[in-house]
Amino acid sequence: MAPKSLLLPILHILALVCLAAGYSTLSDKSLRALPSPGDDFNIKTGKLLSPILQPRVPGTPGSILVQNHFIDFFKTALPKWKIELQNSTSKTPATGDKEIPFVNVIVSRDPPWTTPGFSSRLTLVAHYDSLSIPEGFIGATDSAAPCAILMHAARSIDAALTTKWEKLQADGEDSEFEDQQGIQIFFLDGEEAFQTWTATDSVYGARSLAAEMESTAFAAQSTFHNAISTISLFVLLDLLGAKNPVVPSYFKTTHWAYKKMASLEKRLRSLSLFESSPKKPSPKKPSPKKVSSKKAPSNKPSSKKARSNKAPSRKASKRDDTVFLPDFDKTGDRWLGGMIGDDHVPFMERGVEVLHIIPTPFPRVWHNREDDGAHLDLPTVADWSRLITAFTAEWMELEGFMNLNQTAPNHSRETASEGPAQAVDKSEL
């Protein structure tokens, strides 16, 4: 028998092979039927996006309002999804001895016949907190828009999940060997540094959640030994919503998943289903005007003490700059790996496979006051929502279960004077 040190890498490789083999492609008809967010991404009145476009520093009223926005949406629009709050507190360099609360909002949906420990989960992730400085900072790309994109994706696939799972049960295929794949979304708190990005002043919510999931053990007979091992792929969205993004493939072990998403982008463009115009050469990324540096590239993924705001050079690779995801044919050792610190790090350190969807270079508005709703490129946001929805539907193998007759909302992008809807604090769900 092979020693445990050899078996673990072998099992890891086999798991990745199984995931790649189980991925199911959507037809052109299904891609055309994917709903657009339409007016729901209106920056003033949109039901999904506008309530997030406000300051939401951890522990503040704005943060609570946005938490409640997520909760209300899933309770009313998607009642079959389970809602959980994962709470923690921590001191920060900017707040002294005061304990700051961090609340991760987790929503999930599993096949109805499964029990905890027997179902893996595609995990879609974005952080919802915003910088504390400058005062009034919104963070539309960072990461209000990514949160709205995930809400739209969940709503877009919900009926298909129901149809698929009901059919499997009716056909008697709901055994322990059939379709043990669920989905969960993490809306993470406390990603931003309060002062300067370090290993301890950043990703507060992600660090707490990863540790808790690692310590949440399942019964011995379960397929998965703890909660964190159920994550089949950790898809992290960040800094999305600016025009002309370029997202590299960061990790060799998940390049196959990146290629699946890149293939979808190519198909969506060929079907004229993308709203944004072809990419023009991006302007040079300016140096950010603030001290509180987050997720800038670093040569040492495990140490965030020394950070640079300079993005990795793009001269070394030949990429198609007319698309969001240009690294389809990437080969060799040109992998950025953990050069960008973000919410994935505590999970990746525990063996979770990560697909990081974050542009390099960062958007021009990164960490300055202009990162607001008015500076979002809404056609680009709509395109990301369609692409993430398509990727999720393929991962969940929903071909044949999508509603091909649904009418997509209008692509109206007019704004109104009304602000975000108000919500109430909830201590219990």
Side-chain angles (χ1 to χ4, degrees):
M1 182 176 180
K4 185 176 181 182
S5 60
L6 293 178
L7 283 176
L8 288 177
I10 292 171
L11 291 173
H12 180 68
I13 294 171
L14 288 174
L16 292 176
V17 171
C18 291
L19 287 174
Y23 189 97
S24 176
T25 303
L26 290 181
S27 66
D28 287 354
K29 286 185 178 180
S30 294
L31 289 179
R32 288 191 180 98
L34 293 175
S36 166
D39 290 338
D40 284 344
F41 279 8
N42 185 294
I43 64 171
K44 295 292 185 182
T45 60
K47 293 180 180 179
L48 298 186
L49 179 58
S50 66
I52 314 175
L53 293 174
Q54 60 179 306
R56 46 196 187 278
V57 177
T60 65
S63 176
I64 295 172
L65 287 174
V66 174
Q67 293 166 29
N68 291 335
H69 171 53
F70 299 144
I71 293 167
D72 292 341
F73 171 77
F74 281 91
K75 288 183 73 172
T76 56
L78 303 174
K80 293 182 180 179
W81 291 63
K82 180 181 180 181
I83 306 171
E84 300 173 275
L85 302 182
Q86 192 266 341
N87 299 278
S88 63
T89 62
S90 179
K91 297 175 182 177
T92 79
T95 55
D97 291 332
K98 181 181 179 181
E99 292 282 343
I100 301 299
F102 299 96
V103 182
N104 296 318
V105 181
I106 302 165
V107 295
S108 59
R109 191 170 179 201
D110 295 314
W113 58 84
T114 62
T115 55
F118 288 92
S119 177
S120 65
R121 286 174 171 173
L122 172 65
T123 303
L124 308 177
V125 187
H127 76 88
Y128 72 90
D129 63 300
S130 60
L131 281 170
S132 57
I133 299 174
E135 186 176 355
F137 177 80
I138 299 296
T141 67
D142 191 14
S143 276
C147 288
I149 289 167
L150 295 185
M151 296 170 75
H152 172 76
R155 182 179 60 187
S156 300
I157 66 163
D158 185 60
L161 287 175
T162 299
T163 301
K164 176 183 177 178
W165 290 338
E166 286 179 350
K167 184 178 186 302
L168 288 176
Q169 286 185 300
D171 293 346
E173 297 179 7
D174 55 336
S175 71
E176 60 179 326
F177 303 108
E178 296 287 342
D179 197 68
Q180 302 296 309
Q181 172 87 286
I183 182 171
Q184 62 187 354
I185 298 175
F186 295 167
F187 298 104
L188 296 179
D189 199 4
E191 188 268 357
E192 301 286 6
F194 280 76
Q195 197 168 78
T196 301
W197 186 285
T198 65
T200 54
D201 186 18
S202 65
V203 298
Y204 291 89
R207 286 188 281 124
S208 174
L209 180 58
E212 182 173 303
M213 292 183 72
E214 184 180 40
S215 64
T216 302
F218 295 131
Q221 67 272 24
S222 300
T223 305
F224 301 95
H225 65 282
N226 61 11
I228 203 167
S229 66
T230 66
I231 298 176
S232 54
L233 183 67
F234 188 97
V235 184
L236 175 59
L237 312 186
D238 203 353
L239 300 183
L240 302 182
K243 191 177 180 63
N244 300 336
V246 176
V247 176
S249 180
Y250 293 97
F251 302 108
K252 191 172 184 178
T253 57
T254 55
H255 184 56
W256 71 271
Y258 177 98
K259 290 175 69 174
K260 295 291 187 181
M261 190 179 290
S263 294
L264 275 169
E265 181 191 358
K266 182 178 180 180
R267 292 180 61 205
L268 288 165
R269 288 186 183 276
S270 69
L271 294 170
S272 300
L273 295 175
F274 261 26
E275 298 180 38
S276 58
S277 59
K279 186 181 183 304
K280 299 177 182 178
S282 296
K284 254 188 175 181
K285 177 180 170 291
S287 298
K289 298 179 180 179
K290 62 186 300 315
V291 176
S292 179
S293 171
K294 84 160 198 178
K295 67 169 83 68
S298 167
N299 290 327
K300 296 182 180 180
S302 60
S303 174
K304 308 296 188 301
K305 293 182 179 179
R307 289 184 163 260
S308 167
N309 290 326
K310 185 178 180 181
S313 171
R314 292 164 51 191
K315 294 182 180 179
S317 62
K318 294 181 180 179
R319 303 194 294 205
D320 182 358
D321 282 350
T322 64
V323 297
F324 296 172
L325 304 168
D327 279 357
F328 184 90
D329 295 322
K330 186 173 185 175
T331 58
D333 297 321
R334 299 180 293 104
W335 305 96
L336 294 176
M339 292 181 68
I340 297 180
D342 209 342
D343 280 318
H344 66 290
V345 173
F347 292 86
M348 188 171 64
E349 289 173 342
R350 292 167 169 85
V352 174
E353 290 295 334
V354 173
L355 180 60
H356 199 185
I357 305 299
I358 184 172
T360 297
F362 296 165
R364 179 188 62 80
V365 297
W366 178 62
H367 279 196
N368 67 59
R369 294 181 185 275
E370 290 187 340
D371 191 6
D372 55 18
H375 286 86
L376 284 173
D377 186 66
L378 293 183
T380 298
V381 179
D383 289 346
W384 277 118
S385 70
R386 184 175 277 106
L387 181 56
I388 297 302
T389 299
F391 178 84
T392 304
E394 289 199 339
W395 187 281
M396 299 303 295
E397 300 183 293
L398 297 180
E399 175 58 29
F401 302 101
M402 304 292 288
N403 180 5
L404 302 182
N405 299 313
Q406 59 190 345
T407 302
N410 293 328
H411 298 302
S412 172
R413 290 187 289 274
E414 295 179 0
T415 59
S417 59
E418 297 178 13
Q422 297 297 305
V424 296
D425 188 7
K426 295 185 178 73
S427 58
E428 296 182 2
L429 300 183

